[in-house]
Amino acid sequence: MMRIKGFIILIAMLSVGFTTVAQGRWTIKSDYLKCDVPALVFKPSNYDPKREYPLVYLLHGYSENYTQWSRTIDCQDLANKYNTIIVCPEGFTSFYINSLYDEKFQYESFFFKELVPKVHEELNIDVRNIFISGLSMGGYGALRYLILRPDYFNSAGSTSGALVIDFQQSQKMSQLFWEDNRLNNDLSQLFGNNNTDNWNKNSIINLLRDNSDFSKIFIFDCGTEDVLYTANLELKSVVDSMKVPTTFISQPGTHDTDYWSKSIEHHFVFFDQIIKRLNR
């Protein structure tokens, strides 16, 4: 059920201006998800197989699919502009985690044990400069992965991140966007019922607190009219208190494509600055 829902398109978020043609569409037969998992791959137009390139994984939002970013921004233009490889994998409604209750739906294992090896086998990657970013659910996944796998990622970004795993907040969002309880139903398949501790302990703030030695720099942003703005402000307060080096951008906008189409390039600029500092 979860895998099918991952392809539901949220009509309210489809005011898009791009349909980017990828240089590659992969299909990965996954043992961890028991299905074929698609991904779009964008290489710089002047890609040289003898060179190594920075890599950015872009994760989509809940109720969307792997084509969301290619319909929101010109991914090929960004790959060319920043001389970077971009990989946009299907994430279904997984929140990019291993389900605690469905052994056939282990997304985090798929990502690191199947997708990552294929990326490094097929593409020439500069392993010093691997980044990840995403919107909403994808913002959660990006920061989660950076916190738990700082050995692999140089940095990460989140735009309009769904950073809090909380029953009441997800119920509010589910009613706001879909007028039903689909979000809570899917989260329950991942974390169990809302009476367990698995929900809140997986919020980004609590993951940070449980990894108190975390010190990787990252960027996150949220529109001031976004239903998730308060949670992002709370993250800003926590990273400041923990002295985690971050960049937070607060700007007008809500939880929609118009905002993400403008916000995401800030992340590419941020990553590019990290690369340039590394190469000095």
Side-chain angles (χ1 to χ4, degrees):
M1 180 181 295
M2 293 174 64
R3 292 190 285 273
I4 295 174
K5 286 183 179 180
F7 286 91
I8 295 173
I9 306 300
L10 178 58
I11 300 300
M13 295 182 181
L14 288 183
S15 54
V16 297
F18 294 98
T19 303
T20 309
V21 178
Q23 292 182 343
R25 181 190 183 278
W26 292 350
T27 299
I28 303 170
K29 187 174 181 61
S30 174
D31 292 331
Y32 293 98
L33 299 176
K34 308 305 179 186
C35 67
D36 291 341
V37 185
L40 296 181
V41 179
F42 301 88
K43 298 182 289 187
S45 295
N46 62 352
Y47 181 80
D48 181 351
K50 297 179 181 179
R51 290 186 52 190
E52 293 181 338
Y53 292 85
L55 167 65
V56 177
Y57 294 97
L58 283 183
L59 307 183
H60 66 77
Y62 175 85
S63 88
E64 267 286 358
N65 63 38
Y66 71 106
T67 69
Q68 182 178 24
W69 277 115
S70 67
R71 292 179 284 107
T72 301
I73 56 174
D74 190 334
C75 291
Q76 188 58 58
D77 181 65
L78 285 179
N80 293 342
K81 186 175 181 179
Y82 295 99
N83 208 33
T84 295
I85 294 170
I86 299 173
V87 175
C88 304
E90 174 60 48
F92 307 102
T93 56
S94 67
F95 272 75
Y96 302 96
I97 76 158
N98 285 344
S99 170
L100 301 178
Y101 295 91
D102 185 353
E103 64 180 13
K104 296 180 181 179
F105 200 80
Q106 303 293 297
Y107 191 90
E108 201 162 331
S109 293
F110 157 76
F111 189 95
F112 288 105
K113 297 180 180 181
E114 293 176 328
L115 176 62
V116 166
K118 182 173 178 63
V119 166
H120 288 269
E121 179 182 354
E122 298 285 341
L123 303 164
N124 289 346
I125 305 300
D126 178 357
V127 296
R128 302 172 305 164
N129 288 304
I130 298 174
F131 305 94
I132 187 168
S133 186
L135 66 88
S136 196
M137 178 185 82
Y140 171 85
L143 295 189
R144 175 189 177 88
Y145 284 0
L146 179 68
I147 294 167
L148 299 181
R149 289 294 305 270
D151 56 319
Y152 180 66
F153 297 104
N154 193 335
S155 183
S158 166
T159 181
S160 305
L163 308 179
V164 176
I165 307 299
D166 176 81
F167 182 85
Q168 290 185 343
Q169 176 166 299
S170 61
Q171 187 174 50
K172 177 181 177 181
M173 288 190 65
S174 198
Q175 290 296 326
L176 175 66
F177 290 123
W178 303 283
E179 298 182 347
D180 60 25
N181 294 320
R182 71 178 63 180
L183 178 54
N184 273 3
N185 292 339
D186 284 338
L187 286 172
S188 294
Q189 292 185 57
L190 297 170
F191 298 106
N193 67 63
N194 64 304
N195 294 320
T196 71
D197 292 333
N198 293 329
W199 285 59
N200 289 334
K201 78 177 184 180
N202 277 286
S203 292
I204 292 300
I205 286 172
N206 289 328
L207 289 176
L208 276 172
R209 287 171 173 159
D210 288 342
N211 292 271
S212 57
D213 59 344
F214 176 82
S215 61
K216 285 274 186 172
I217 187 172
F218 65 87
I219 184 172
F220 65 111
D221 66 79
C222 194
T224 52
E225 290 74 49
D226 196 314
V227 65
L228 299 177
Y229 185 64
T230 300
N232 278 265
L233 285 180
E234 186 178 359
L235 176 60
K236 170 61 174 169
S237 176
V238 169
V239 294
D240 285 349
S241 67
M242 293 179 64
K243 295 182 170 38
V244 177
T246 60
T247 292
F248 175 58
I249 300 174
S250 172
Q251 56 190 332
T254 187
H255 204 78
D256 63 12
T257 299
D258 185 60
Y259 178 83
W260 302 320
S261 66
K262 299 171 184 174
S263 65
I264 191 62
E265 189 159 5
H266 294 302
H267 298 201
F268 279 82
V269 171
F270 183 81
F271 299 155
D272 191 54
Q273 290 173 341
I274 292 175
I275 294 169
K276 289 176 179 176
R277 286 198 297 269
L278 183 64
N279 291 334
R280 284 178 184 171

